[in-house]
Amino acid sequence: MRIALAGIDSSRPVRIARHIATLGSNGHRLTGIATEGRLPSAELQEVLPPDVSVVERPRDLIGLADAVLEFGRAAVDRTARVLPLLDAGLPVLVDKPLALTRDAAELLADRARRRGVALIADSGYRTAPALAAVLAGTGGDAGPEQLLSISGPADPGSPWGGLAFYGSHHAQILQELRPDALAKTESLEVRRGMGGEISAQVGERVQLRFTDPAGSDGFAVTIGDRTVPLAPAPDYLERLIDHFLAECTAPRHDDGWRRRLVDPVALLERISGGLLRLP
């Protein structure tokens, strides 16, 4: 399969190119990158195939690839970047977040379903080893009767997507543990606390804490009186790419797939809206 990369403004392109190079025996190869006016770093140039096509925009990859990895940081431009690719029948793996509004996420999911192609936008925290241990459970810790808190850094002023840029991790972790908590019918109260912390009370038994990115706090889940630190698996990105490439051969378009894409975006949109209304 011909694979293209859109967006080279993050730390991931070198790692992505190296991983795709290991998949040659499976018929996969990197055939194009969209740079959007940026010069590929020396490290990236070293790992790119000599015959890779370098183009300006993601839409310029149409005809050069059979699947696209869209890893540009600017989430506000995500729909404009991804929609032409889906319209052209290209499956797309999207970095966080998929979109900034429910409507945009619904549009992308609907277009992928209509075109019959894969669309995935998963956080590495979905497959964090410690989260898997929580999900495996010991005595039903993650049950809805327990108080649940998910904490981790997120910057409401991020130029790449505001609170959603890292807050998408919080929402996807919550979806893994309690998917029903992301429903529109759940009550929501957003507060601004000391030290730049923002919290969102979702329903009666879920709290999301968005801590200062400049601080030392990482991601953690607290259930009842037990706190579990979270970190993505060291090879989470490689696993995500492998899963996406497998999904390309038999795309999933059921309601569970749609909710997996749309519900975290919708919750972050509600929280960001609540934050804007604070004094």
Side-chain angles (χ1 to χ4, degrees):
M1 178 182 293
R2 299 175 302 164
I3 303 168
L5 171 64
I8 61 170
D9 58 338
S10 75
S11 60
R12 295 179 177 85
V14 171
R15 188 170 163 185
I16 290 170
R18 284 177 174 156
H19 182 60
I20 294 174
T22 70
L23 303 177
S25 61
N26 296 327
H28 302 307
R29 56 194 177 95
L30 187 64
T31 57
I33 62 169
T35 64
E36 296 171 297
R38 294 178 175 84
L39 181 67
S41 68
E43 187 179 11
L44 179 56
Q45 291 183 49
E46 287 180 2
V47 297
L48 288 175
D51 59 345
V52 70
S53 296
V54 180
V55 299
E56 176 69 15
R57 303 169 300 169
R59 67 172 63 235
D60 297 331
L61 295 168
I62 296 170
L64 299 175
D66 306 306
V68 177
L69 313 181
E70 208 293 282
F71 275 76
R73 284 184 175 181
V76 68
D77 300 328
R78 192 81 73 199
T79 303
R81 295 161 63 89
V82 173
L83 203 57
L85 302 174
L86 297 174
D87 280 338
L90 292 173
V92 185
L93 170 62
V94 179
D95 193 17
K96 64 165 196 327
L98 171 67
L100 298 182
T101 67
R102 170 186 283 274
D103 287 348
E106 292 273 18
L107 175 63
L108 292 172
D110 181 66
R111 199 61 54 88
R113 180 186 59 79
R114 289 188 181 187
R115 295 295 294 160
V117 296
L119 177 63
I120 294 177
D122 281 342
S123 160
Y125 285 90
R126 282 197 189 271
T127 55
L131 185 60
V134 172
L135 284 165
T138 54
D141 294 287
E145 72 283 355
Q146 296 285 326
L147 295 176
L148 169 64
S149 175
I150 299 168
S151 62
D155 179 7
S158 167
W160 311 119
L163 197 69
F165 185 66
Y166 260 77
S168 56
H169 294 317
H170 297 69
Q172 291 196 4
I173 291 167
L174 176 57
Q175 189 175 45
E176 290 296 308
L177 294 171
R178 295 183 188 169
D180 291 343
L182 282 75
K184 288 189 292 184
T185 54
E186 288 282 2
S187 61
L188 178 69
E189 183 178 357
V190 181
R191 306 183 186 95
R192 197 189 303 271
M194 299 291 291
E197 180 174 310
I198 295 163
S199 64
Q201 185 71 34
V202 184
E204 295 182 359
R205 297 187 176 275
V206 173
Q207 184 184 61
L208 304 182
R209 294 176 51 237
F210 305 93
T211 59
D212 186 352
S216 58
D217 292 343
F219 278 85
V221 169
T222 299
I223 301 175
D225 59 359
R226 184 168 70 100
T227 297
V228 179
L230 295 181
D235 61 344
Y236 82 92
L237 182 59
E238 291 78 6
R239 290 188 190 186
L240 181 58
I241 292 171
D242 291 349
H243 171 67
F244 166 69
L245 295 176
E247 189 83 4
C248 288
T249 63
R252 176 184 173 191
H253 296 121
D254 57 13
D255 186 61
W257 163 82
R258 186 193 63 80
R259 290 193 62 183
R260 188 178 180 92
L261 290 170
V262 174
D263 287 2
V265 173
L267 177 61
L268 263 297
E269 182 184 17
R270 292 179 65 202
I271 294 171
S272 296
L275 182 61
L276 289 174
R277 291 190 289 272
L278 291 179

